[in-house]
Amino acid sequence: MNDDTPTFDFIIVGAGTAGCLLANRLSADRNCRVLLVEAGGRDDYHWIHIPVGYLYCIGNPRTDWLYQTEPSAGLNGRSLRYPRGKVLGGCSSINGMIYMRGQARDYDGWAAALGDEAWRWQACLPHFKRHEDHWRGADDFHGAGREWRVERQRLSWEILDAFAAAAQEAGIPATPDFNRGSNEGVGYFEVNQRTGVRWNTSKAFLRPALARPNLELWTGAQVSRIVIENGRAVGIEGLPVQGGEALHARATREIVLCAGAIGTPQILQLSGVGPAALLHQHGIVPRHELSGVGANLQDHLQIRAVFEVEGVKTLNRIVHSPLGKAGIALEYLLRRSGPMSMAPSQLGAFTRSDPARPWPNVEYHVQPLSLDAFGEPLHRFNAFTASVCNLNPGSRGTVQIRSPRPQDAPLIQPLYLSTEEDRRVAADSLRLTRRIVGMPALARYRPREIKPGPQFQSDEELARLAGDIGTTIFHPVGTCRMGRAGEPGAVVDARLRVQGLQALRIADASVMPTITSGNTNSPVLMIAERAAQWLAQAA
């Protein structure tokens, strides 16, 4: 860096879910110069905004990093596509739009582990409400009139209503709201949409702030390393853009990494912050040894059970009909409703894989469709899919650089189903799915199990089949986890400061000590709100 290096008070790396909110909050102080750096491009691709467009954004280099996991023994040697948003809004521009906070016990567990009451559910709840615009209006659990729109879905399906009734017959209560601290129950998910259009964090937080003269946005700018001098993060370096010079910027106050559970540990390791042995392996001089950088990877593995049905319409048959396709397009054009307004999953349920469990430990995502794998055509027979995931997996994986080149994707090894407990929950979950589907409310549709197949009954068979049909639900967290000062494996403290370094924080899903009990996008916004508060207080 030299005297010509542009200088800012704060530099935010990553304009995804957390980065867009942080840019809004920090730039609200007109005395602060804020730089927001994003490796991807602008969110002007039309499929980002049409809810069903996630089908065209995932696996698209315009919007997705196109990561793959390493082959995993728990998945019987399979590797998985691992989408991460590479565009303004990050994963909020390509995800399932489901609004889910998790359970109060998640946050109370963080507080107990950290010895810090600021992370308890009751302390976090105001920070969820701070940015919320809930369709019901404000109450003790929800906010209204702020940036992050939460709406009901604009459709229902007969087969999903029947599954909900069957779940209630199986002992799962109906719930009108998954976001009050206990998400046990069955009901339709609420979504981050505004009148049938995806509501990403770029629209919600970044666009309103871009008119501020003290906020600067760089897109197409991949950060290659954090510059560290005398134990302090002082700036960033980035790859050249379109044949130009390498990017440089200096921060006088703090740098905040918001590159996500994959990007953040990669940037730290490339900067010489991480496990010394890994850094030496790739010829990187260690600047600060932190063994936990890239460790503790957690994710939700969904086990997709498919059932063929009779006497009811599902999306499978509709999309294979020219008239059906035309009707879908017309309904969305005229009413912003119907299948084009669909989140990837519409109906949800939280319950116990075994009645002896002390709390709900599995989540269902139920869909009026079926297919062999994500991105494949829908089946030509009527069917529904009941995907179930273990909310609190014990398996822990890693994210590690594969070379000193920022352009090379990191090695992602989630180690799914690597514990006996996770395999037991997988087998119990498939049995629970069968019990729900066997209830009277679904009998009239004569459901027939296609995947995994009724011939598989033993724990060993079902755990192996879970490895064959399981796939990520796109919730990686934990790779730069919070912990107490000096705690082995901890990367940041309870105020999100990187331990042992000055002027460097992390505010994204990587800081979660344990994964939340549900979809992870909205908890990341809460984390970003906390970071904004603490950054302002540190001024």
Side-chain angles (χ1 to χ4, degrees), residues 482-495:
M482 286 189 282
R484 301 186 186 217
E487 180 183 332
V491 177
V492 298
D493 66 13
R495 294 298 182 271

Side-chain angles (χ1 to χ4, degrees), residues 84-135:
R84 296 285 87 197
K86 188 182 181 183
V87 64
L88 291 182
C91 290
S92 77
S93 293
I94 69 171
N95 70 2
M97 296 163 283
I98 292 171
Y99 183 72
M100 188 66 59
R101 296 171 177 172
Q103 297 170 3
R105 59 173 298 273
D106 299 330
Y107 305 98
D108 292 347
W110 293 3
L114 295 166
D116 191 325
E117 294 295 294
W119 288 105
R120 290 189 64 83
W121 164 253
Q122 287 298 332
C124 291
L125 182 58
H127 297 277
F128 281 109
K129 295 168 63 177
R130 191 181 305 279
H131 51 255
E132 189 178 17
D133 183 20
H134 195 271
W135 65 274

Side-chain angles (χ1 to χ4, degrees), residues 350-370:
F350 292 81
T351 189
R352 296 160 170 80
S353 61
D354 180 316
R357 297 273 171 178
W359 55 74
N361 70 314
V362 294
E363 177 184 9
Y364 278 92
H365 291 77
V366 192
Q367 307 146 336
L369 55 85
S370 66

Side-chain angles (χ1 to χ4, degrees), residues 130-427:
R130 191 181 305 279
H131 51 255
E132 189 178 17
D133 183 20
H134 195 271
W135 65 274
R136 284 196 190 97
D139 61 20
D140 289 344
F141 292 95
H142 292 287
R146 301 306 300 270
E147 301 97 340
W148 195 229
R149 181 64 178 167
V150 180
E151 293 189 349
R152 292 182 295 180
Q153 295 185 70
R154 300 168 70 83
L155 76 171
S156 63
W157 292 84
E158 179 183 341
I159 192 63
L160 298 187
D161 293 339
F163 186 96
Q168 292 172 63
E169 290 173 340
I172 303 172
T175 181
D177 189 348
F178 288 120
N179 290 297
R180 292 175 174 252
S182 172
N183 50 20
E184 186 166 16
V186 60
Y188 279 88
F189 289 122
E190 294 174 329
V191 291
N192 295 120
Q193 294 181 9
R194 186 177 290 280
T195 58
V197 177
R198 177 190 289 273
W199 196 244
N200 66 353
T201 58
S202 174
K203 291 178 192 171
F205 302 102
L206 182 57
R207 291 186 192 178
L210 284 176
R212 298 170 182 166
N214 58 322
L215 174 61
E216 192 165 328
L217 171 65
W218 296 355
T219 57
Q222 184 176 352
V223 171
S224 56
R225 74 181 185 103
I226 305 298
V227 179
I228 299 170
E229 296 176 356
N230 301 316
R232 181 183 178 88
V234 299
I236 60 168
E237 292 182 355
L239 299 180
V241 177
Q242 298 179 345
E245 295 183 359
L247 300 174
H248 299 275
R250 182 177 290 275
T252 59
R253 288 174 61 177
E254 294 200 42
I255 297 170
V256 189
L257 282 171
C258 299
I262 307 303
T264 286
Q266 180 188 23
I267 292 169
L268 285 174
Q269 291 167 8
L270 291 170
S271 306
V273 180
L278 175 67
L279 304 180
H280 284 304
Q281 176 187 339
H282 295 294
I284 296 173
V285 176
R287 306 302 299 267
H288 182 56
E289 184 173 1
L290 277 176
S291 63
V293 174
N296 193 49
L297 174 62
Q298 299 160 58
D299 191 13
H300 289 140
L301 182 77
Q302 61 175 343
I303 304 168
R304 300 174 58 254
V306 174
F307 296 86
E308 185 176 6
V309 290
E310 301 176 12
V312 65
K313 281 186 178 181
T314 68
L315 195 59
N316 287 11
R317 283 285 174 85
I318 295 173
V319 301
H320 287 297
S321 159
L323 190 60
K325 285 182 178 178
I328 289 171
L330 187 62
E331 183 174 5
Y332 189 74
L333 181 65
L334 296 178
R335 300 173 57 190
R336 290 291 184 266
S337 63
M340 288 186 72
S341 73
M342 282 172 52
S345 298
Q346 298 79 52
L347 186 76
F350 292 81
T351 189
R352 296 160 170 80
S353 61
D354 180 316
R357 297 273 171 178
W359 55 74
N361 70 314
V362 294
E363 177 184 9
Y364 278 92
H365 291 77
V366 192
Q367 307 146 336
L369 55 85
S370 66
L371 65 171
D372 288 332
F374 184 86
E376 297 293 317
L378 299 186
H379 294 143
R380 289 188 172 273
F381 51 84
N382 277 316
F384 69 88
T385 300
S387 294
V388 60
C389 72
N390 179 357
L391 290 170
N392 312 122
S395 300
R396 299 291 186 268
T398 57
V399 174
Q400 298 180 332
I401 54 172
R402 70 175 71 230
S403 83
R405 287 169 39 88
Q407 302 95 322
D408 294 338
L411 295 164
I412 304 170
Q413 179 51 278
L415 294 176
Y416 296 117
L417 300 175
S418 59
T419 71
E420 186 60 36
E421 173 71 1
D422 285 358
R423 291 189 290 273
R424 182 181 301 109
V425 172

